[in-house]
Amino acid sequence: MQVTTLLPFFAASQLLASAATLSPTQHLNVSVTAAENGQSVIQCWQLTTPPSLVTIGDVNFQSQSLGDLQGGSLNIFRPGLNLGLHAAPAKQWVIVLAGSIKVYLQYNQTEANTAFISAGVAGVLLAVDTKDVSPIGHITETIEQTALLFLPTANATVPEHTVLHNNVCAGQDLL
Ligand SMILES: *[C@@H]1O[C@H](CO)[C@@H](O)[C@H](O)[C@H]1NC(C)=O
Ligand SMILES: *[C@@H]1O[C@H](CO)[C@@H](O)[C@H](O)[C@H]1NC(C)=O
Ligand SMILES: *[C@@H]1O[C@H](CO)[C@@H](O)[C@H](O)[C@H]1NC(C)=O
């Protein structure tokens, strides 16, 4: 299964006539629960695969591939739920369809290390700190009633990326 997410980089339809403005150079940055030295860390990654220009009907738009996926599930959580410490159940994309989540580390609860992810165009987290690489994992809480789409990567592959920095994506990373 191949799934793409549609990125509203060029929402104004007037821009669609200009190929120059559409060149797909803005690589997606995403906050990640990754693992280093056997424990979870929160990092900002930039995907190696750039968005591409896709046409449906009369409309051109930027489309970001999420790579090959395997399975997928829609998960509904009640408000104010604390999942406690857990490893990622699979190497997976987590798409916040409704509500919001707070994802953080038990051993380092700084603001820069805490991902607040709400439904919307930036409502994406990549969770790859599975038990084999991070036995303890991270903590997730829901704030409101929350619907999360889990999209595990095929064969537990980690999407090609560069690590932009530790801590969540912020500021310049999310233009
Ligand atoms: C905790 O995170 C902050 C940045 O969010 C970092 O500067 C600090 O080194 C971290 N501390 C530990 C013990 O990992
Ligand atoms: C996953 O593994 C299967 C079986 O080894 C292989 O056929 C398939 O191409 C792999 N897919 C990816 C995306 O790595
Ligand atoms: C990703 O982050 C880099 C570095 O902060 C930034 O230059 C780039 O514009 C960001 N990409 C997007 C799509 O926001």
Side-chain angles (χ1 to χ4, degrees):
M1 183 173 62
Q2 271 271 343
V3 170
T4 57
T5 180
L6 312 182
L7 301 177
F9 292 159
F10 301 100
S13 57
Q14 298 93 303
L15 292 179
L16 294 176
S18 162
T21 47
L22 286 169
S23 60
T25 54
Q26 289 284 310
H27 291 240
L28 182 69
N29 307 319
V30 64
S31 294
V32 183
T33 58
E36 262 177 9
N37 307 318
Q39 71 180 3
S40 293
V41 292
I42 291 187
Q43 296 180 327
C44 178
W45 287 10
Q46 182 164 81
L47 297 188
T48 302
T49 304
S52 55
L53 189 59
V54 167
T55 305
I56 295 180
D58 295 332
V59 175
N60 298 318
F61 55 94
Q62 297 277 325
S63 176
Q64 174 65 57
S65 170
L66 300 181
D68 287 324
L69 305 173
Q70 192 172 334
S73 60
L74 177 57
N75 306 274
I76 313 292
F77 298 94
R78 57 183 168 75
L81 201 63
N82 184 342
L83 274 63
L85 274 169
H86 63 282
K91 298 200 191 294
Q92 63 185 7
W93 296 96
V94 175
I95 315 289
V96 183
L97 295 174
S100 50
I101 53 173
K102 177 182 174 187
V103 179
Y104 59 99
L105 306 171
Q106 185 182 46
Y107 67 90
N108 194 343
Q109 298 184 19
T110 60
E111 195 182 328
N113 243 335
T114 301
F116 282 100
I117 303 184
S118 299
V121 290
V124 181
L125 174 82
L126 180 63
V128 296
D129 56 335
T130 44
K131 202 175 277 177
D132 54 326
V133 287
S134 176
I136 293 173
H138 61 266
I139 300 172
T140 305
E141 294 175 17
T142 64
I143 296 160
E144 312 133 67
Q145 172 159 303
T146 295
L148 301 179
L149 185 62
F150 292 166
L151 299 174
T153 62
N155 299 343
T157 50
V158 174
E160 273 190 74
H161 65 275
T162 54
V163 177
L164 289 183
H165 54 75
N166 288 323
N167 301 322
V168 296
C169 297
Q172 286 291 105
D173 313 325
L174 300 175
L175 291 180

